[in-house]
Amino acid sequence: RFNIYEGGEGKLTRMHGWLYTLWGRKAQLEGDPNAALKYFETALVYPDNYGEGRHYSAQEANIYYYMGLLFSQMNQETQAQAAWTKAANQPSQITEITYFAALSLQALGQQDQANDLFRKMIDTGNRLKATARHYGYFGVGMPTPLPFELDVAPLNLAEAHLLIALGQKGIGNDTASQEAVDALTAVDPW
């Protein structure tokens, strides 16, 4: 049983969502849509032993985006549109999950709104890069260095470069995206 303390909310559930999303995507690419759908649905359900439920600021656009792709692949366009709409209407904080909200807007034919989100990711990444040595607000989503690793700059820089890479990729600037990926791996090779 996990005990989630102040500032740690959402971290375990986010990893849960990613784990099942990646398993679902793998099953989808391997041609098993039923297994993929089961994984995506499981990504949205948190076991009791996690010690927390769905947070008001939970971002799950990655799950809904891939679920939408699966439904579209299965020629279930109504369900695909519903999944992408859920993805596009995620809480507004800018994170790597915003990328999937923007991709969902693209799938819904809302390119201008998608580009706005991609640009917000780039802007947020640039602001974070400029203030990388500053600790942010204590709360959900704040970078959490390991004990005795008091330098928050590498964590902030990694997040900044990731946001920039995804935002640049989203607007089609592959060169700038790759430069941000290179900067990211220089800060955090994992």
Side-chain angles (χ1 to χ4, degrees), residues 18 21 60-66 84 87-88 90 95-106 117-118 121 166:
W18 266 119
T21 298
E60 300 166 328
N62 53 335
I63 303 165
Y64 287 113
Y65 171 72
Y66 285 115
W84 287 326
Q90 293 291 288
T95 69
E96 80 280 0
I97 304 296
T98 304
Y99 180 73
F100 300 96
L103 290 178
S104 295
L105 285 166
Q106 284 181 329
L117 278 183
F118 291 134
M121 292 179 75
L166 292 172

Side-chain angles (χ1 to χ4, degrees), residues 65-112:
Y65 171 72
Y66 285 115
M67 193 180 286
L69 288 182
L70 177 65
F71 283 133
S72 184
Q73 177 186 353
M74 297 166 61
N75 296 316
Q76 297 177 8
E77 291 305 320
T78 301
Q79 292 92 328
Q81 298 289 315
W84 287 326
T85 299
K86 284 182 182 178
N89 291 313
Q90 293 291 288
S92 61
Q93 69 267 27
I94 302 295
T95 69
E96 80 280 0
I97 304 296
T98 304
Y99 180 73
F100 300 96
L103 290 178
S104 295
L105 285 166
Q106 284 181 329
L108 293 167
Q110 299 174 26
Q111 188 63 50
D112 289 342

Side-chain angles (χ1 to χ4, degrees), residues 16 34 46 63 88-89 108 135 145 175 182 187:
H16 169 93
N34 293 326
Y46 306 137
I63 303 165
N89 291 313
L108 293 167
Y135 279 88
T175 301
D182 293 343
V187 172

